[in-house]
Amino acid sequence: MGIVLNGFVDYVGPNQALGWVWDSAAPDRRLNVVALKNTKIVSAMVANLYRPDLQQAGIGDGHYAFDLRFPSDAGYEIAVEIQDGQYKIPLNTDALNVSQAQVEDLIDIGLSPRNFQSKKNILPRAIDIIRLDPNDNCNLRCVYCHNFRSEKLIDLSEFREFLNIGVDSVGTFQIGCGMEPTLDSRLCDFVEVIAESKARPSKDFILQTNGLLLHRHDYQRLAGAGINLVSISIDVAEPETQKALRGGMSLEKLLRNVKDFRAHCPGVSVEFIATVTTANAEKAESLVTLGLKYGISRFTFREVFYFPKNPIVDHSRMPDLVLAAGQFEAMRKRILRQFGKKAEFIFADSNTLLRSWRNMEQKRSQ
């Protein structure tokens, strides 16, 4: 198969151009891009930054974005191309109308064993969010998981060097994004390296986990390094349904670890985060009741999304797990009506994700 390039310049400002480009025939390839004024190169970089909307839209692993900076006198007369000139990246029709707030929303960096070697050389900058997967695997097989897996790891010493050289400041730092961080015996080491660096977050320091292996790690080291929120993935209060959705899950072990962690670290907030499908949408109230019993003060409900072209997800079951129109909203209203004053609730439906995916699919076919 030959080279199949797709991408867009999503924003052009007086000293910046943002966008993405990838070779769908070679999704592991990262392309060199340049910004030109007339024929003069005014900026260049590898298009390897992470944008979650790309990954959610089925654009590989999402690490195809670029953020080209150039002198302000270059103005808006900028073209962005692949460095060897084989492809001029087209301008999104809205590229000149994107607000600075939307630009800042893109400073959301994902680090994993798949992209770390290229990311570690990015220029120092202030970053809103870093999402880190120090390992590339998980101990569960969730029906709706879209993520590739491997045995790769990020080297701890290289990670420490990256934080000291490649980062100026971070707002929120999350450990655990697409994979399970507690599988990695070095978890506390990574947390402490972050805490001792310029990347120590000014806002939230989050550990995202399914909770089954939390007991393998030193709770006091985690809390002492500044972890202030542990986000536990749990879909339902019924053991059998939980196991059916998240293969390998033991609700009993999970709850035992939650109870133990809260006893040792009462100052660290714990939230439950659930993926909502047809299997648990009508059982959400029982999950909240269970969480309140264990002292959970925040609940996040995310509507399941399904990308039929993804080669990882369980296609035999996913179509039946996608919610009907209005089902997620009905659940949201029930939850708030019954528990609205007892905890904090966050709801994320699939509309935005689906619109993004359809938009990307349309652009790729043009």
Side-chain angles (χ1 to χ4, degrees), residues 126-181:
I127 300 173
D128 294 316
I129 303 172
I130 291 182
R131 306 175 194 273
L132 170 70
D133 280 315
N135 58 300
D136 199 35
N137 213 336
C138 185
N139 55 326
L140 299 183
R141 289 287 176 181
C142 299
V143 174
Y144 40 72
C145 180
H146 288 67
N147 299 322
F148 293 87
R149 305 180 184 198
S150 76
E151 298 301 320
K152 296 179 180 179
L153 300 170
I154 292 178
D155 182 82
L156 182 61
S157 60
E158 291 185 9
F159 179 72
R160 180 186 290 109
E161 181 182 4
F162 162 78
L163 293 184
N164 290 328
I165 296 175
V167 179
D168 285 338
S169 63
V170 175
T172 295
F173 209 123
Q174 177 177 317
I175 302 179
C177 183
M179 299 299 167
E180 177 50 48

Side-chain angles (χ1 to χ4, degrees), residues 11 26 47 72 102 163 172 176 188 224 240 296 304 322 334 355-356:
Y11 169 82
S72 58
Q102 289 172 293
L163 293 184
T172 295
C188 289
E240 292 307 313
I296 306 303
V304 70
V322 175
R334 294 198 320 268
R355 280 198 301 270
S356 176

Side-chain angles (χ1 to χ4, degrees), residues 6-240:
N6 290 281
F8 276 87
V9 179
D10 293 318
Y11 169 82
V12 177
N15 60 358
Q16 184 181 28
L18 294 169
W20 61 276
V21 64
W22 79 317
D23 179 358
S24 59
D28 290 334
R29 181 186 179 200
R30 312 301 167 183
L31 300 166
N32 295 311
V33 296
V34 295
L36 301 100
K37 182 175 183 180
N38 298 323
T39 58
K40 180 183 178 182
I41 295 177
V42 293
S43 184
M45 69 172 292
V46 178
N48 61 10
L49 302 179
Y50 178 65
R51 273 181 41 183
D53 62 313
L54 296 180
Q55 185 176 25
Q56 291 161 357
I59 308 296
D61 61 11
H63 297 280
Y64 308 105
F66 54 82
D67 181 354
L68 292 160
R69 305 296 178 97
F70 37 79
S72 58
D73 59 3
Y76 289 93
E77 299 173 6
I78 291 294
V80 181
E81 299 181 358
I82 302 302
Q83 191 160 17
D84 60 11
Q86 63 179 306
Y87 181 68
K88 181 177 179 179
I89 304 173
L91 189 69
N92 187 321
T93 55
D94 295 325
L96 299 179
N97 300 314
V98 179
S99 69
Q100 186 60 33
Q102 289 172 293
V103 173
E104 292 172 353
D105 285 343
L106 298 179
I107 306 178
D108 185 335
I109 305 298
L111 295 175
S112 74
R114 296 174 181 270
N115 70 0
F116 180 70
Q117 289 302 318
S118 57
K119 283 289 184 66
K120 68 179 183 179
N121 295 317
I122 66 172
L123 296 175
R125 59 191 297 175
I127 300 173
D128 294 316
I129 303 172
I130 291 182
R131 306 175 194 273
L132 170 70
D133 280 315
N135 58 300
D136 199 35
N137 213 336
C138 185
N139 55 326
L140 299 183
R141 289 287 176 181
C142 299
V143 174
Y144 40 72
C145 180
H146 288 67
N147 299 322
F148 293 87
R149 305 180 184 198
S150 76
E151 298 301 320
K152 296 179 180 179
L153 300 170
I154 292 178
D155 182 82
L156 182 61
S157 60
E158 291 185 9
F159 179 72
R160 180 186 290 109
E161 181 182 4
F162 162 78
L163 293 184
N164 290 328
I165 296 175
V167 179
D168 285 338
S169 63
V170 175
T172 295
F173 209 123
Q174 177 177 317
I175 302 179
C177 183
M179 299 299 167
E180 177 50 48
T182 61
L183 267 179
D184 195 328
S185 62
R186 309 168 301 161
L187 173 60
C188 289
D189 297 327
F190 272 90
V191 171
E192 290 173 342
V193 164
I194 295 165
E196 295 165 1
S197 74
K198 293 183 293 183
R200 184 184 181 99
S202 59
K203 297 178 181 177
D204 288 324
F205 199 175
I206 304 169
L207 174 62
Q208 169 75 53
T209 173
N210 59 47
L212 277 186
L213 304 178
L214 190 58
H215 63 283
R216 293 185 178 181
H217 303 275
D218 189 326
Y219 298 157
Q220 297 304 323
R221 287 180 67 188
L222 294 174
I227 291 288
N228 59 11
L229 175 63
V230 175
S231 182
I232 302 289
S233 298
I234 175 174
D235 292 338
V236 67
E238 298 176 359
E240 292 307 313

